[in-house]
Amino acid sequence: MGRIAAPFGIKGWVKVQAFSEDPGTLMDFASWRVGRGTEYKHYPVEAIQDHSNTLVAKLAGIDDRDAAFALRGQEISVERSNLPPPAEDEFYWSDLIGLKAVNREGIELGTVSSLMESGAHDLLVVKGSREHLIPFAAAFVGKVDVAAGRIEVDWGEDY
């Protein structure tokens, strides 16, 4: 959901780069998982504030600038069970990763390996015999069936 960007001040506060559309959503959680790869540690959030178009937070046990600096670059996530269910026709990016992308002709283009923001639309990064960057928009994406592991796209093999 974000990452620790830098220390903020001398009392252990950190500056946070949020990855969600609304950075304030991180303010809704009492604790965060902070770490890299598969190694995460849970930190209760003691305080969090909006600060000049970014967030700053004080995590329990991080009490000085050196401890805050040690967290720099680490990812912030929350337990999936703490997230609200997505609205109809909305998806968490993590639910889309791993889905098979199949075009309208029934040709499998590959697997969604990641997503990225591009400004106008988020892009599905589909890796198969070649890489496809498919806008995640109604004009290009049809049915998304997470349970079946499949996403239908209006995209040619040679695009």
Side-chain angles (χ1 to χ4, degrees):
M1 294 185 70
R3 75 174 181 90
I4 306 292
F8 181 78
I10 60 170
K11 295 184 178 181
W13 285 68
V14 293
K15 194 177 284 190
V16 175
Q17 176 187 10
F19 296 152
S20 62
E21 205 170 284
D22 176 12
T25 55
L26 278 171
M27 298 174 98
D28 296 336
F29 301 98
S31 69
W32 296 344
R33 293 180 342 149
V34 177
R36 289 187 181 96
T38 58
E39 295 186 28
Y40 283 87
K41 183 175 177 185
H42 288 269
Y43 290 94
V45 178
E46 291 181 352
I48 188 167
Q49 301 173 352
D50 269 320
H51 182 76
S52 301
N53 298 325
T54 190
L55 296 174
V56 293
K58 173 66 176 81
L59 304 178
I62 307 301
D63 297 319
D64 60 34
R65 186 171 180 82
D66 290 338
F69 186 82
L71 296 178
R72 197 181 90 224
Q74 294 191 30
E75 297 174 353
I76 299 168
S77 63
V78 296
E79 295 290 338
R80 176 64 186 246
S81 60
N82 291 337
L83 295 174
E88 188 174 333
D89 291 329
E90 288 186 358
F91 305 92
Y92 287 116
W93 281 16
S94 60
D95 292 338
L96 300 174
I97 295 171
L99 298 183
K100 299 288 182 198
V102 179
N103 70 13
R104 296 191 183 206
E105 290 77 37
I107 299 168
E108 187 177 306
L109 301 176
T111 302
V112 177
S113 65
S114 63
L115 287 96
M116 62 168 131
E117 294 181 56
S118 69
H121 301 287
D122 295 333
L123 297 173
L124 298 168
V125 179
V126 176
K127 294 193 177 183
S129 60
R130 58 177 290 215
E131 184 175 87
H132 300 274
L133 300 177
I134 304 171
F136 192 69
F140 303 104
V141 175
K143 183 177 180 187
V144 176
D145 189 342
V146 174
R150 179 183 163 109
I151 184 167
E152 293 176 4
V153 296
D154 187 7
W155 203 256
E157 280 184 282
D158 56 346
Y159 294 2

